Amino acid sequence: HPQQVSADALALYFSPKTRPATYRVFFLHWRWKVPAEITDQYECIGFHLGSLPSERGGTPLQWRILSGKQWASLTMYRLTQEVDAGPVYHIGSVHLDGSAEAIYHRAMGEAAALLTEWLARPADPTPQEGTRVTYPRRTPEDAELPVPGVGDLEQTYDHIRALDAPGYPRAFDVLGGLRYEYRRAVYYGDRIEADVTITKADAGAAGEAEGGE
């Protein structure tokens, strides 16, 4: 279920005294539902790191990385009250090499390129076509690494880097009463090197649900 933006989050910017003169509002790397009083009054344009409608949901990037995909679509679309369901303006692509943080930075650059191209020649969006698939939002418990002996080095590397971005629970495992959290992983083919934080298992609370767009 999408988290509704609190009344205070956008109220100041969109209040009668400070309301922007423009009729377009752009939302980059935005993971909250925008209130109807804003989407109904303005042309609200967002970016989704996944194909629509076949990759709806809150964590499509993580699912694509964990599925071994090398590329993701970046979809520029109109925000509506049905999440990830609005018509599509433009589609780009983003390579999925590196950490989730690096990929999000890359996606921001692609979003800027899409915006520049579209603003030069604005066109109406087109309805989504195809089979609708919604990815389930991942939970903090999903950050735990597979049981030792299950999977391989590359899968473990993908698991770590898929969560290596601000706002995400780090990939972790628990051994002997200690919790090991991993970030900044590098895969060398025969080994993985990563930064590791070790705490007592009961001190490493899972934290927030995985977020992101």
Side-chain angles (χ1 to χ4, degrees), residues 2-6 9-11 14 25-28 30-46 77-84:
Q3 179 180 352
Q4 178 71 38
V5 174
S6 67
L10 297 174
F14 288 97
V25 185
F26 300 99
F27 294 82
L28 282 77
W30 186 264
R31 59 176 174 144
W32 299 276
K33 185 177 180 181
V34 178
E37 56 265 30
I38 296 176
T39 59
D40 291 347
Q41 184 171 356
Y42 299 95
E43 185 178 12
C44 295
I45 299 174
Y77 71 109
R78 181 157 187 172
L79 302 182
T80 63
Q81 287 305 290
E82 183 181 356
V83 176
D84 295 339

Side-chain angles (χ1 to χ4, degrees), residues 58-189:
T59 50
L61 172 61
Q62 283 65 40
W63 288 115
R64 284 195 70 81
I65 291 175
L66 295 174
S67 298
K69 308 298 185 183
Q70 299 297 314
W71 291 87
S73 295
L74 182 65
T75 306
M76 176 177 164
Y77 71 109
R78 181 157 187 172
L79 302 182
T80 63
Q81 287 305 290
E82 183 181 356
V83 176
D84 295 339
V88 174
Y89 294 94
H90 212 350
I91 301 173
S93 60
V94 178
H95 197 274
L96 301 184
D97 183 45
S99 68
E101 183 174 12
I103 295 167
Y104 284 130
H105 281 295
R106 203 174 297 136
M108 292 292 281
E110 179 68 4
L114 292 177
L115 267 178
T116 299
E117 183 177 341
W118 182 78
L119 288 171
R121 290 183 293 179
D124 292 333
T126 58
Q128 295 182 21
E129 297 181 352
T131 302
R132 171 180 172 175
V133 177
T134 300
Y135 285 105
R137 182 174 289 276
R138 291 172 59 83
T139 67
E141 290 74 22
D142 292 327
E144 186 170 10
L145 287 169
V147 176
V150 177
D152 58 21
L153 280 175
E154 189 168 6
Q155 290 175 335
T156 299
Y157 168 66
D158 285 343
H159 190 109
I160 295 171
R161 70 187 184 91
L163 301 174
D164 194 358
Y168 289 81
R170 302 294 185 198
F172 75 95
D173 57 19
V174 177
L175 298 170
L178 297 177
R179 179 186 175 100
Y180 298 76
E181 296 187 356
Y182 306 92
R183 63 188 298 265
R184 299 206 299 188
V186 180
Y187 178 52
Y188 290 101

